[in-house]
Amino acid sequence: SQQGEEDPQALSIQEGENATMNCSYKTSINNLQWYRQNSGRGLVHLILIRSNEREKHSGRLRVTLDTSKKSSSLLITASRAADTASYFCATDGRYGNKLVFGAGTILRVKS
Amino acid sequence: GAVVSQHPSRVICKSGTSVKIECRSLDFQATTMFWYRQFPKKSLMLMATSNEGSKATYEQGVEKDKFLINHASLTLSTLTVTSAHPEDSSFYICSAWTVGPRSTGELFFGEGSRLTVL
């Protein structure tokens, strides 16, 4: 079953703007990860945040985690057309033995 | 980063035939691989966890006899869709994660296999 729920389902912005995607989950986690998928391709890992971390940065990416609200957000700053893709959060669940993916956000960055 | 190779990338078959999809970890050993299924514009649905040298663990609702998984070596897992029907048409993606002291906890994905059953 899918644990994570993401919003928005689709997001369209202009190049240079920031994009924020949110993810909520239901059970306890060890870590939460964000992945990117270009259309018809496999997934690429973006960033992992552990349950004892609140914020993490990687280049233009900023991820926050609020375990009390069971939610996370992914911020992409200064977006580029090449950022157009689907973005998924994934949680490892209570036992950390598999990843369950959220519904995903389809991001379109217009140039 | 670690590389996972999936083959074939696209396959078209007739209804009733069986199709095998291979997933290989190219530069690391993967005791555990995961098979996901993805419908158009939808998320990934975990089908099963493939364990080297033992039986796969299937998620609820996934037919074991329909989706046969074999993990015969530390670098290869195969998914066989048996007696395929049009409703089995989908995008199948395998993944693996590295284990041990250098493990980062991230999953490495194959490029996916698009199955079309006529």
Side-chain angles (χ1 to χ4, degrees):
Chain A
S1 61
Q2 297 299 317
Q3 174 169 242
E5 297 295 330
E6 290 167 78
D7 74 272
Q9 291 185 339
L11 181 61
S12 183
I13 59 174
Q14 288 294 136
E15 203 166 27
E17 294 180 341
N18 295 342
T20 300
M21 290 160 269
N22 303 297
C23 167
S24 61
Y25 57 93
K26 297 176 182 176
T27 64
S28 300
I29 62 171
N30 292 310
N31 62 61
L32 183 145
Q33 305 183 42
W34 285 88
Y35 287 82
R36 166 196 168 123
Q37 183 183 34
N38 286 4
S39 181
R41 304 294 296 275
L43 277 74
V44 175
H45 180 262
L46 295 177
I47 196 166
L48 179 152
I49 186 166
R50 303 197 183 282
S51 60
N52 61 353
E53 297 176 313
R54 292 296 166 259
E55 187 172 314
K56 204 164 184 179
H57 297 254
S58 177
R60 293 185 295 115
L61 305 180
R62 173 178 169 252
V63 169
T64 63
L65 178 64
D66 187 334
T67 53
S68 66
K69 295 181 180 178
K70 291 186 168 58
S71 67
S72 173
S73 68
L74 170 67
L75 168 68
I76 303 175
T77 60
S79 64
R80 304 167 182 167
D83 294 329
T84 295
S86 293
Y87 292 83
F88 297 92
C89 70
T91 53
D92 65 343
R94 190 168 303 161
Y95 303 107
N97 59 344
K98 59 186 178 183
L99 282 189
V100 177
F101 284 80
T105 294
I106 300 172
L107 173 66
R108 181 186 173 206
V109 181
K110 295 177 284 186
S111 57
Chain B
V3 178
V4 175
S5 173
Q6 194 170 337
H7 177 80
S9 59
R10 293 179 181 272
V11 57
I12 300 173
C13 69
K14 294 182 179 180
S15 187
T17 60
S18 295
V19 174
K20 180 186 286 187
I21 301 170
E22 293 186 348
C23 180
R24 294 181 185 274
S25 56
L26 296 186
D27 54 357
F28 67 101
Q29 293 183 333
T31 55
T32 302
M33 292 184 175
F34 303 91
W35 287 95
Y36 290 86
R37 181 175 181 176
Q38 186 178 34
F39 292 102
K41 298 185 179 181
K42 297 293 184 182
S43 186
L44 283 74
M45 180 188 77
L46 180 63
M47 298 174 65
T49 302
S50 171
N51 303 297
E52 188 269 335
S54 65
K55 292 182 179 180
T57 304
Y58 289 82
E59 294 300 304
Q60 191 173 8
V62 178
E63 298 177 60
K64 301 177 182 181
D65 296 331
K66 177 72 169 176
F67 299 100
L68 298 179
I69 291 173
N70 183 276
H71 195 152
S73 77
L74 287 171
T75 59
L76 174 64
S77 175
T78 60
L79 167 68
T80 301
V81 183
T82 62
S83 187
H85 287 93
E87 58 265 30
D88 299 324
S89 298
S90 191
F91 192 55
Y92 294 89
I93 311 176
C94 72
S95 65
W97 55 27
T98 58
V99 294
R102 296 184 179 180
S103 174
T104 59
E106 67 180 272
L107 271 184
F108 296 95
F109 282 83
E111 284 294 296
S113 299
R114 183 162 303 284
L115 170 63
T116 303
V117 184
L118 303 176

